[in-house]
């Protein structure tokens, strides 16, 4: 609902009606939502656990995961809350909570790539969405997910946009928008504007409030070890990990989640410089800061007690807890004037957010203005579009294949027809399984024989006389209902999952059985072979390159990923995705990034060329030609113009990342920096001039008195000398 001018007065009236315990209760989000309700007769009722929590606090601040369904929650299509039941359950919870204090509860849900609830649209994971290099598409898909959340009575969407893929050993790499801060910042803004509307216009209507996670530098954790120390200087923190945070603030994000990790020894949940001085005082953030799950209690290693952990997090700038006990002890500190004042400040922030949704005492929450079923239909359509845009063709090989010539296809590998491997982490089970890659090929070629080989021997035997062989390799984030989980939901058991939260790896090579399959196929099979790498992190793909196979990278592309892959293999679509990370040639060379300050080539004596595929790699079947690059100084900065031409008989899409390198200052420059993306659809034979303007602060080196600039697009470079941003000398190639 639109922000109203008397919101401060309404918040103060609500605050005045709450005693200290109730105010502390507004800051707590301890209860696992799926345990708050239970089926009763022909409907639902508040569970005993839910009742105890409401009675303890005389209300509730927020409730996490009311609709969550997955292996950790144990909720399935048999015992979970179905889409048509969501409105009833949300209304029940609101009525019960309002009875205690008159104030409703904020319902928060996981939505990193779709609502993690039964029947919700599942989008490709953020790493796959980043490969599209298409912010407009990400904005549209985010809006569709937000509409589903709002139609269900949800207020807060927890969305991963702030992490960078700085070490591919990290299991949560799939939650990142790649390794580059510019790309991640653009996508962060797209997510916020999609879910909240421009200038927060859709919050409470067709949109929800976004809680961006994780703040900050979690992707920098040493060795890719989840939640551990990020050893990083202030400059790299500012240049790499904070641009997404600032982009979120500027876009109007209403929430941030403080991460597990520490930065140079200071845990994020105890980092007042980060949560208050930077976020609020410097950037003007006016929303809430939520702690990650149980992160407040982890401060006990610093403070020595749970109670002191809660106090430290509160005074550092955390407003809302998540599952922890630390904030539940704040009501024991009523005689501490500093704590009382901080509780009031945080409570006002929570109540102000509730006012946006009509949850305060004198208000009634407005009915959602979107239909859940319609929003799910729209979301599924957008999931298909993102899946198609996310596929990256790394090696063309014999692709595309002509469907008319394919009568016998063999699909081999551990994920040959495994639909769960396409989905990624943080997803609910599907009511009807989506087609895996083998099934999608069979649907695309109903008259052909598509056979699945269970091992290398079967693949070689079946390939004899076949027309083509597809290897489906990589990994999976699938959590089985029999797996063991940590207290925060991360995978704890040794299970089938090879990616996702709780699955950090020391070795990025494809598993031994997959490497053996590649070797035996390359030695024994003479038919065309294409490898599809289904993955949520960079793997070492060197064996595939050495075998000369076509390679399609598919970053957990969602339930429509099988169909999207089939379309690429059969030439029904030309891939436009670009690699959002640097692919290593071997495990021992990581971490490795395109924007490092030093070149890693010729350093390791046993791996002189560590990069297998550079950041931004990718090609299509119908790529337009780049004829020239021109760089022109302007008052606002520098204009980059690229002339492109399509020599093809059908429409084609140009996708060209724009890189720069800056010299002349007092800081060692990065080897290159992504500063923009040029994209357009060209008609057959069409010439287009694609351009963008780079602002002056994006092209001048820090403290530069005689700056130089190099612009790189495709295989073209242009250098500028900018003494005083005047009398600029230009060279192009």
């Amino acid at each position: 609902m639109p922000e109203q001018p008397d919101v401060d007065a309404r918040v103060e009236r609500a605050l005045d009606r709450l005693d200290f315990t109730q105010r502390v209760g507004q800051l707590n989000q301890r209860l696992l939502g799926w345990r708050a309700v239970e089926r009763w007769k022909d409907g639902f009722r508040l569970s005993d656990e839910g009742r105890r929590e409401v009675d303890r606090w005389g209300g509730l601040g927020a409730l996490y995961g009311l609709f969550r369904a997955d292996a950790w929650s144990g909720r399935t299509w048999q015992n979970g809350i179905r889409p048509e039941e969501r409105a009833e359950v949300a209304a029940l919870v609101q009525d019960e909570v309002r009875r205690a204090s008159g104030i409703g509860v904020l319902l928060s849900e996981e939505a990193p790539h779709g609502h993690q609830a039964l029947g919700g649209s599942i989008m490709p994971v953020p790493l796959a969405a980043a490969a599209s290099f298409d912010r407009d598409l990400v904005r549209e898909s985010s809006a569709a997910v937000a509409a589903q959340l709002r139609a269900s009575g949800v207020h807060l969407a927890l969305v991963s946009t702030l992490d960078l893929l700085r070490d591919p050993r990290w299991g949560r790499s799939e939650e990142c928008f790649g390794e580059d801060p510019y790309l991640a910042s653009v996508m962060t803004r797209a997510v916020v504007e999609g879910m909240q509307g421009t200038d927060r216009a859709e919050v409470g209507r067709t949109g929800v409030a976004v809680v961006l996670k994780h703040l900050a530098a979690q992707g920098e954790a040493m060795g890719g070890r989840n939640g551990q120390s990020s050893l990083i200087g202030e400059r790299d923190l500012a240049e790499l990990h904070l641009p997404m945070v600032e982009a979120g603030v500027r876009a109007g994000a209403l929430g941030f989640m403080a991460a597990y990790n520490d930065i140079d020894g200071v845990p994020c949940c105890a980092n007042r410089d980060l949560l208050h001085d930077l976020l609020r005082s410097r950037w003007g953030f006016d929303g809430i800061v939520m702690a990650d799950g149980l992160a407040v209690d982890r401060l006990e290693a610093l403070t020595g007690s749970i109670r002191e952990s809660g106090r430290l997090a509160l005074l550092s700038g955390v407003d809302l807890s998540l599952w922890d006990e630390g904030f539940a002890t704040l009501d024991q500190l009523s005689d501490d004037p500093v704590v009382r004042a901080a509780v009031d400040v945080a409570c006002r922030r929570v109540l102000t957010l509730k006012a946006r949704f009509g949850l305060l005492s004198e208000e009634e929450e407005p009915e959602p203005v979107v239909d859940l079923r319609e929003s799910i239909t729209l979301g599924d359509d957008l999931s298909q579009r993102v899946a198609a845009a996310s596929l990256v063709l790394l090696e063309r090989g014999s692709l595309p294949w002509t469907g008319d010539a394919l009568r016998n296809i063999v699909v081999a590998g551990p994920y040959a027809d495994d639909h769960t491997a396409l989905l990624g982490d943080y997803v609910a089970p599907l009511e009807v399984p989506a087609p895996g890659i083998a099934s999608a090929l069979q649907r695309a070629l109903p008259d052909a024989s598509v056979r699945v080989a269970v091992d290398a021997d079967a693949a070689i035997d079946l390939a004899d006389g076949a027309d083509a062989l597809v290897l489906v390799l990589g990994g999976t984030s699938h959590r089985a209902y029999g797996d063991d989980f940590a207290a925060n939901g991360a995978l704890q058991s040794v299970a089938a999952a090879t990616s996702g939260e709780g699955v950090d790896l020391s070795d990025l090579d494809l598993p031994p059985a997959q490497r053996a399959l590649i070797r035996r196929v390359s030695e024994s099979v003479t038919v065309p072979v294409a490898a599809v790498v289904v993955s949520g992190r960079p793997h070492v793909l060197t064996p595939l390159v050495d075998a000369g196979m076509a390679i399609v990278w598919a970053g957990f592309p969602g339930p429509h990923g099988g169909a999207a892959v089939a379309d690429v293999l059969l030439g029904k679509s030309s891939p436009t995705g670009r690699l959002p990370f640097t692919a290593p040639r071997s495990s021992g060379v990581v971490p490795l990034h395109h924007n490092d300050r030093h070149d890693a080539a010729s350093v390791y004596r046993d791996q002189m060329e560590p990069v297998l595929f550079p950041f931004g790699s990718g090609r299509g079947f119908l790529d337009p030609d780049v004829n020239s690059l021109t760089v022109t100084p302007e008052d606002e900065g520098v204009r980059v113009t690229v002339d492109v031409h399509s020599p093809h008989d059908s429409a084609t899409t140009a996708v060209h990342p724009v890189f720069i390198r800056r010299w002349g200052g007092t800081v060692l420059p990065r080897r290159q920096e992504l500063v923009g993306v040029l994209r357009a659809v060209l008609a057959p034979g069409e010439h287009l001039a694609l351009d963008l303007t780079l602002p002056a602060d994006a092209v001048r080196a820090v403290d530069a008195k005689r700056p130089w600039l190099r612009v790189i697009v495709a295989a073209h470079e242009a250098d500028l000398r900018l003494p005083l941003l005047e009398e600029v000398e230009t060279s192009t190639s």
Side-chain angles (χ1 to χ4, degrees), residues 656-669:
H656 295 296
V658 178
F659 301 98
I660 65 169
R661 180 176 175 127
R662 298 183 277 183
W663 289 276
T666 58
V667 176
L668 190 67

Side-chain angles (χ1 to χ4, degrees), residues 305-325:
S305 74
I306 290 293
R307 188 167 75 171
E308 283 302 310
S309 297
R311 184 180 189 275
L312 176 59
L314 175 71
L315 299 184
S316 298
V318 174
D319 303 306
L320 188 63
S321 72
L322 186 59
W323 316 327
D324 59 75
E325 289 297 321

Side-chain angles (χ1 to χ4, degrees), residues 95-117:
D95 289 345
E96 294 286 355
V97 173
R98 277 185 182 273
R99 250 194 291 275
S101 64
I103 298 174
V105 58
L106 291 167
L107 300 182
S108 69
E109 294 280 327
E110 298 284 4
H113 55 112
H115 184 192
Q116 193 179 9

Side-chain angles (χ1 to χ4, degrees), residues 286-301:
D286 61 352
I288 63 164
V289 173
M290 181 190 298
D292 205 343
L294 298 173
V296 171
D297 291 353
R298 293 188 182 194
L299 298 180
E300 187 177 9

